[in-house]
Amino acid sequence: MCGICGIVDPAGTIEHSELSAMAARMHYRGPDADGAWVSADRRFGLGHRRLSIIDLDPRSNQPFLSADGRLVISFNGEIYNYRELKRELEGRGHHFRTASDTEVILSGYREWGLDCLHRFRGMFAFGLFDLDRERLWLVRDRFGKKPLLYYRKADLLAFASDFRCFEESPRFDLQLDLTALYDCLTYNYIPAPKTAYQHVRKLEAGCWMLWERGEFTERRYWDITEFGTNDVPLAQTVQRVRELIDESTRLRMISDVPVGVLLSGGLDSSTVAYYAQQHSATPIKTFSIGFDVKAYDELRHATYMAEAIHAEHTTQVYDFEAARADLKETMHLYGEPHGDSSIFPTTAVSRIARQHVTVALAGDGGDEVFYGYRHFLAHARHAVQARLPLHEVGQRVWQSVVPMGAKGRNYGLRYFLEDLELHTVLLGGLTRADKLRLVADDLLDATKDYDDYWFFRKYWRAELPLATRLQYLDLKTYLVEGVLMKVDRASMSCSLETRTPLLNHPLVEEVFSWPERVRLDGDTLKYLFKKAMTGVLPELIIDKPKQGFSIPWRSWVRNIEELRMIRGRGLFFKKGLVLPPLYTALAIQDWLRIKTQGRFV
């Protein structure tokens, strides 16, 4: 796990010190080693910060050059099947100088070209220079577990794991993209490929981009293609779920440093902890965070599960005072506005884990793969309401009478919305009508003909059954831009690598290939997953009601003066407007306050 960056400048002005300075801005992503490389003609350069996980030998430090010096890579992530690939490549005549997965990527590229990606199982983002072809290849893993930002303006191309790399040099034009901030009010994150800056973009999950002698090509190399075509009996799917998770967890235990588990006490992380213990000769280390507000606390279930598998369990209670102390730093870990306040406990539990291990497994992905979100059920129940008479009038009246941020407001609003707008509200986003009350007049003009729901529309597969359609939509949107971005930023802020066994792509592909009749059972969330884990996990964990990893935000925000009275300043929100107590709105305004103090005008 690392931090990567690089530059392509046809004018040949790249300095070694520039790459070193960019890499230094993300030292927390890789505190163990750093490096920079610049080509002889100064047109190509790479920087790197290393968190040593596999092959701790300094010979595996990056940027990593092939033996002939014609290929060079800066790589973030892990290739879990690198040992099998290495043996295959050795059989084809390749020789290796290290025991790293990084070198396997270079040899795989040399042997199979761009198709080597289809052989990699893991999480990764990398930039690979092929000097013979004058080519830069940028790649992001299938689910977007690892970030990859790129800057493109005129002839200049650069990439990085973190926005702060681009702040290091005046060569990067960091003008704000206010429409991206407008999107953040809709989705609670800025959807790819957009970012908060006009010339910085996110490479989308499952995609690669190729720069070759000034020409750009972008391709999607992975997606789910089979939905319900594999007609198998329920008993067979139950056994396959167990086998697939067992294999996935085993692969993610590969490490030359200690591995633990982030254990919330829910079904997903408990399953990961169980299988991790099956592949460990010693008691695994598990880590949990609790809250001083009982409704949000899951420590009882986490402790019960840890005791059931005889793990070494560490816990901590995260309270209001801890949140206040973390407020400014944690809120802005994303590098751009983001509306998921659960980054606070995620960062806190990552800090605890990092005191004991360098790698932690987590249960993220289970809700998307196994139909685990309550909003899936709510969508099915409320979608028909939009066809009731006068629903548009009802929506306007409800939104005007009940203030934004009021408890129960979004629940009532569901009855008046259709499809994508309904999905937006179910995930906590704002409708266009609500946004128009908040944003400045200039932005209202700029978004007059704007498609507020373009990101959801991009992945809305109307031909799929509703349940599968919603799963796929969340897998391609909320999982990538909400959940996985949060986990990466929170864990890497304290130099912890987080791995997600439930997002092994063979597992996801096979589960989605099964028909809904074996995956779903009416209103039972995670029906198939619970069937598979019955007899494996304790009944207390199987029967535990769904509880999101969230914070008591309403009570906290009322007691934090600097949040309670934040006003719009006219650049984005209406000037003088007291913002509603919505985490996303407050995060946007505070981020703007910081960025507009300096060069970001």
Side-chain angles (χ1 to χ4, degrees):
M1 189 68 66
C2 307
I4 63 176
C5 59
I7 301 175
V8 174
D9 177 15
T13 65
I14 301 173
E15 298 288 346
H16 190 279
S17 59
E18 183 178 14
L19 272 303
S20 294
M22 289 175 67
R25 290 300 303 274
M26 47 185 177
H27 61 89
Y28 54 88
R29 294 191 73 93
D32 297 330
D34 67 299
W37 166 88
V38 177
S39 62
D41 59 11
R42 296 172 55 198
R43 293 188 299 145
F44 311 122
L46 292 175
H48 192 267
R49 294 290 310 199
R50 186 182 184 195
L51 178 62
S52 301
I53 303 291
I54 292 175
D55 187 8
L56 310 185
D57 194 296
R59 291 180 303 172
S60 293
N61 290 347
Q62 300 181 50
F64 190 93
L65 276 71
S66 61
D68 60 7
R70 306 311 299 164
L71 302 177
V72 56
I73 189 173
S74 188
F75 162 55
N76 171 25
E78 310 291 352
I79 307 299
Y80 301 123
N81 62 333
Y82 77 100
R83 292 172 178 167
E84 294 87 343
L85 292 174
K86 183 177 181 180
R87 288 193 291 268
E88 181 178 356
L89 289 163
E90 286 174 331
R92 292 171 176 263
H94 291 260
H95 300 280
F96 292 86
R97 295 170 287 149
T98 70
S100 71
D101 52 348
T102 307
E103 191 173 9
V104 170
I105 295 176
L106 286 186
S107 292
Y109 169 80
R110 195 184 292 276
E111 179 68 30
W112 299 302
L114 305 185
D115 288 338
C116 67
L117 287 180
H118 301 295
R119 297 172 177 265
F120 298 158
R121 296 178 66 175
M123 56 180 182
F124 45 85
F126 62 79
L128 187 158
F129 278 115
D130 183 333
L131 298 180
D132 289 334
R133 292 180 171 87
E134 295 189 19
R135 164 193 286 181
L136 170 64
W137 192 31
L138 298 179
V139 179
R140 193 175 181 199
D141 66 67
R142 295 169 178 86
F143 296 103
K145 299 172 188 175
K146 295 294 99 191
L148 187 53
L149 309 166
Y150 66 92
Y151 175 96
R152 182 179 172 188
K153 185 179 180 183
D155 292 333
L156 180 63
L157 173 65
F159 69 91
S161 300
D162 195 297
F163 288 101
R164 279 172 275 202
C165 296
F166 301 121
E167 297 174 6
E168 186 59 37
S169 172
R171 75 158 73 221
F172 301 118
D173 177 7
L174 296 180
Q175 292 295 309
L176 299 181
D177 183 348
L178 295 184
T179 67
L181 304 187
Y182 180 82
D183 286 334
C184 192
L185 288 175
T186 308
Y187 305 102
N188 290 321
Y189 50 78
I190 296 176
K194 299 173 76 170
T195 76
Y197 303 108
Q198 294 180 20
H199 302 295
V200 180
R201 288 293 178 260
K202 299 167 188 155
L203 185 62
E204 294 186 60
C207 291
W208 57 252
M209 186 173 76
L210 197 68
W211 178 96
E212 191 163 8
R213 295 186 172 92
E215 298 296 324
F216 288 88
T217 306
E218 188 168 347
R219 292 281 186 274
R220 181 173 299 281
Y221 68 87
W222 182 85
D223 205 345
I224 296 176
T225 57
E226 300 294 329
F227 298 93
T229 57
N230 185 10
D231 194 2
V232 294
L234 176 61
Q236 184 175 330
T237 63
V238 165
Q239 183 59 32
R240 283 297 292 155
V241 167
R242 293 174 179 173
E243 293 170 353
L244 288 164
I245 296 177
D246 180 63
E247 181 208 29
S248 179
T249 307
R250 176 185 60 79
L251 283 173
R252 283 155 182 79
M253 294 291 287
I254 295 172
S255 174
D256 294 327
V257 294
V259 178
V261 178
L262 304 183
L263 180 60
S264 71
L267 177 62
D268 302 342
S269 64
S270 295
T271 299
V272 170
Y274 170 83
Y275 283 107
Q277 186 60 74
Q278 298 301 300
H279 295 287
S280 176
T282 59
I284 62 169
K285 298 179 186 297
T286 55
F287 310 93
S288 302
I289 198 85
F291 297 99
D292 56 350
V293 179
K294 186 176 180 180
Y296 292 82
D297 190 72
E298 295 183 275
L299 280 184
R300 180 174 73 92
H301 290 86
T303 301
Y304 183 88
M305 184 63 205
E307 291 174 350
I309 60 174
H310 307 291
E312 295 182 15
H313 193 48
T314 303
T315 66
Q316 179 176 309
V317 174
Y318 193 70
D319 58 17
F320 169 73
E321 291 303 324
R324 182 195 285 268
D326 288 344
L327 179 65
K328 296 302 182 184
E329 180 181 353
T330 302
M331 181 180 279
H332 300 300
L333 283 178
Y334 295 100
E336 64 179 2
H338 197 282
D340 191 345
S341 59
S342 67
I343 193 170
F344 287 86
T346 305
T347 304
V349 74
S350 296
R351 287 196 204 113
I352 299 167
R354 188 61 178 92
Q355 297 172 16
H356 303 271
V357 298
T358 310
V359 176
L361 309 188
D364 299 291
D367 287 318
E368 290 79 8
V369 177
F370 292 105
Y371 199 73
Y373 287 124
R374 283 191 292 265
H375 67 250
F376 291 158
L377 301 178
H379 200 294
R381 292 168 185 165
H382 290 281
V384 296
Q385 307 291 341
R387 291 190 286 273
L388 295 177
L390 302 178
H391 71 273
E392 292 182 0
V393 175
Q395 177 185 348
R396 288 196 298 270
V397 171
W398 184 266
Q399 289 180 292
S400 62
V401 172
V402 185
M404 275 182 273
K407 189 174 182 180
R409 183 181 192 267
N410 277 3
Y411 184 85
L413 188 58
R414 299 175 186 181
Y415 288 92
F416 309 112
L417 306 177
E418 298 182 14
D419 286 346
L420 302 183
E421 200 169 36
L422 171 63
H423 197 68
T424 298
V425 170
L426 288 173
L427 269 68
L430 297 183
T431 65
R432 179 172 179 80
D434 279 339
K435 286 180 290 186
L436 297 184
R437 298 180 183 189
L438 300 179
V439 302
D441 292 341
D442 288 347
L443 186 57
L444 289 180
D445 293 338
T447 57
K448 184 177 181 181
D449 299 316
Y450 195 74
D451 180 2
D452 289 57
Y453 311 106
W454 64 268
F455 190 52
F456 286 159
R457 198 179 311 282
K458 182 176 180 179
Y459 296 106
W460 184 256
R461 301 281 294 272
E463 75 277 10
L464 296 177
L466 180 62
T468 301
R469 186 191 321 162
L470 295 173
Q471 284 184 273
Y472 178 77
L473 178 64
D474 272 8
L475 192 79
K476 304 297 284 190
T477 58
Y478 174 63
L479 174 70
V480 181
E481 304 297 341
V483 176
L484 295 179
M485 182 183 291
K486 172 197 67 181
V487 172
D488 173 81
R489 299 304 194 275
S491 61
M492 291 308 297
S493 71
C494 48
S495 307
L496 177 75
E497 172 173 300
T498 307
R499 300 175 177 178
T500 51
L502 300 183
L503 287 175
N504 189 26
H505 75 272
L507 183 158
V508 176
E509 290 171 352
E510 186 161 347
V511 171
F512 269 82
S513 77
W514 298 332
E516 285 191 0
R517 63 174 177 77
V518 299
R519 295 191 295 113
L520 309 176
D521 179 30
D523 288 349
T524 304
L525 294 175
K526 292 183 180 173
Y527 165 73
L528 176 59
F529 200 5
K530 289 179 178 180
K531 278 281 189 183
M533 292 302 107
T534 298
V536 177
L537 300 184
E539 289 185 14
L540 179 69
I541 302 300
I542 300 289
D543 297 335
K544 179 181 177 293
K546 170 69 177 174
Q547 184 171 343
F549 195 41
S550 56
I551 64 174
W553 171 252
R554 290 178 186 277
S555 62
W556 287 2
V557 74
R558 285 196 299 267
N559 293 289
I560 302 178
E561 179 67 27
E562 58 267 38
L563 293 182
R564 192 170 68 248
M565 294 303 293
I566 286 183
R567 294 177 179 268
R569 300 190 176 190
L571 174 62
F572 181 76
F573 292 111
K574 286 181 170 62
K575 190 170 184 178
L577 175 72
V578 177
L579 298 180
L582 302 173
Y583 181 83
T584 303
L586 302 181
I588 290 173
Q589 185 57 62
D590 198 60
W591 184 86
L592 282 169
R593 176 187 60 81
I594 296 170
K595 295 307 177 184
T596 54
Q597 286 178 349
R599 54 185 275 199
F600 306 93
V601 179

